Amino acid sequence: MVEPEGTLADRLAAMRAGIADAARASGREPEELTLIAVTKFHPASLVRALHALGVRDFGENRHQEAREKAAELADLDGVHWHFVGQLQSKKARQVREYASVVHSIDREALVTALARPADGEATLDAFLQVNLTDDPARGGARPDDAPRLAELIATEAATGLRLRGVMAVAPLGEEPRRAFARLKAISEQVAIVVPTATEISAGMSHDFREAIAEGATHLRIGTAITGPRPSQE
Ligand SMILES: *Cc1c(COP(=O)(O)O)cnc(C)c1O
């Protein structure tokens, strides 16, 4: 992988420009797109630096790490934590304590676990993660199961979940645009059963252009902004 160039501010500016270009190339407005800076494995100080540069949406994929960072950064204004990683059902409830959005709901047990807010807890925004590979061990629901799970989330929404749309990671070894085109078709199926759930969380450092071309609304960008992740244990 090529090391990102320049300072954090340069890389963020380059990514914002790249997103705006890709949006216009697809006849879309850059304002339709939410950039989520994925800060997993990076220290809280990096989140603080990105916040100073105007970033408000941050993605994390491990509950323990996310919880610690959110607590350490509780003084920052207007931060939205997006949980994007695989989630154990028995830990799921705790994610409500800091996250505004969970992108990785992929099975009934998670819907049930998340859909019980404590008194005074805010509504949690939810994306239904879909598995675009043939490997059932990967995170995500089967595409043909997506409408059923979407309906279930929408039903449970009465008790604190709001389905925003679908999420996926492009499989390795497949042209990302083809994979994202499948996700768009799944999104259309979901919108038939839950008409308000039209958003698409897709696109990472190396495939955000293809995701934007296929209708992504939420981009999850890590290394292109942050630089390489510190050792992942
Ligand atoms: C780490 C991660 C990203 C960001 O990936 P980069 O290639 O660093 O941009 C996006 N989505 C999920 C689910 C991730 O775990």
Side-chain angles (χ1 to χ4, degrees), residues 47 51 55-58 73 75-81 98 100:
V47 177
H51 185 270
V55 178
R56 294 293 177 269
D57 291 277
F58 296 98
L73 296 165
D75 61 304
L76 295 183
D77 283 338
V79 169
H80 305 294
W81 291 102
Y98 56 86
S100 333

Side-chain angles (χ1 to χ4, degrees), residues 77-167:
D77 283 338
V79 169
H80 305 294
W81 291 102
H82 296 251
F83 193 84
V84 304
Q86 295 204 23
L87 202 48
Q88 287 174 263
S89 303
K90 62 178 199 295
K91 294 270 172 67
R93 283 266 324 112
Q94 299 172 26
V95 170
R96 288 200 84 111
E97 292 163 14
Y98 56 86
S100 333
V101 190
V102 173
H103 291 243
S104 44
I105 299 184
D106 62 359
R107 58 193 190 276
E108 199 163 333
L110 269 184
V111 180
T112 315
L114 282 166
R116 266 180 269 114
D119 267 0
E121 257 179 2
T123 298
L124 182 66
D125 282 354
F127 284 89
L128 173 59
Q129 184 176 355
V130 179
N131 182 356
L132 298 178
T133 76
D134 296 328
D135 177 0
R138 294 295 177 123
R142 285 206 329 269
D144 62 1
D145 205 23
R148 182 189 73 85
L149 281 169
E151 230 172 344
L152 184 74
I153 296 170
T155 311
E156 300 281 350
T159 55
L161 280 179
R162 175 171 48 225
L163 184 66
R164 298 275 297 265
V166 293
M167 176 277 214

Side-chain angles (χ1 to χ4, degrees), residues 38 40 61 84-85 167 169 204-206 220-224 229:
V38 178
K40 64 189 185 200
N61 75 338
V84 304
M167 176 277 214
V169 175
M204 313 192 342
S205 293
H206 296 287
R220 308 180 312 269
I221 311 289
T223 48
R229 284 183 272 277

Side-chain angles (χ1 to χ4, degrees), residues 14-93:
M15 180 49 67
R16 283 178 170 150
I19 290 170
D21 281 352
R24 289 192 206 96
S26 302
R28 302 180 61 196
E29 296 298 327
E31 295 73 36
E32 295 170 29
L33 304 174
T34 300
L35 166 61
I36 301 163
V38 178
T39 49
K40 64 189 185 200
F41 302 104
H42 286 285
S45 55
L46 183 105
V47 177
R48 206 173 274 286
L50 285 168
H51 185 270
L53 295 167
V55 178
R56 294 293 177 269
D57 291 277
F58 296 98
E60 289 286 334
N61 75 338
R62 296 188 302 181
H63 165 59
Q64 193 65 33
E65 180 184 341
R67 176 160 65 182
E68 283 168 20
K69 263 182 230 176
E72 194 173 337
L73 296 165
D75 61 304
L76 295 183
D77 283 338
V79 169
H80 305 294
W81 291 102
H82 296 251
F83 193 84
V84 304
Q86 295 204 23
L87 202 48
Q88 287 174 263
S89 303
K90 62 178 199 295
K91 294 270 172 67
R93 283 266 324 112

Side-chain angles (χ1 to χ4, degrees), residues 172-189:
L172 291 172
E174 183 182 358
E175 167 53 44
R177 178 108 191 227
R178 279 190 49 198
F180 292 138
R182 291 207 300 286
L183 182 62
K184 188 178 186 185
I186 296 163
S187 165
E188 285 161 6
Q189 294 297 310

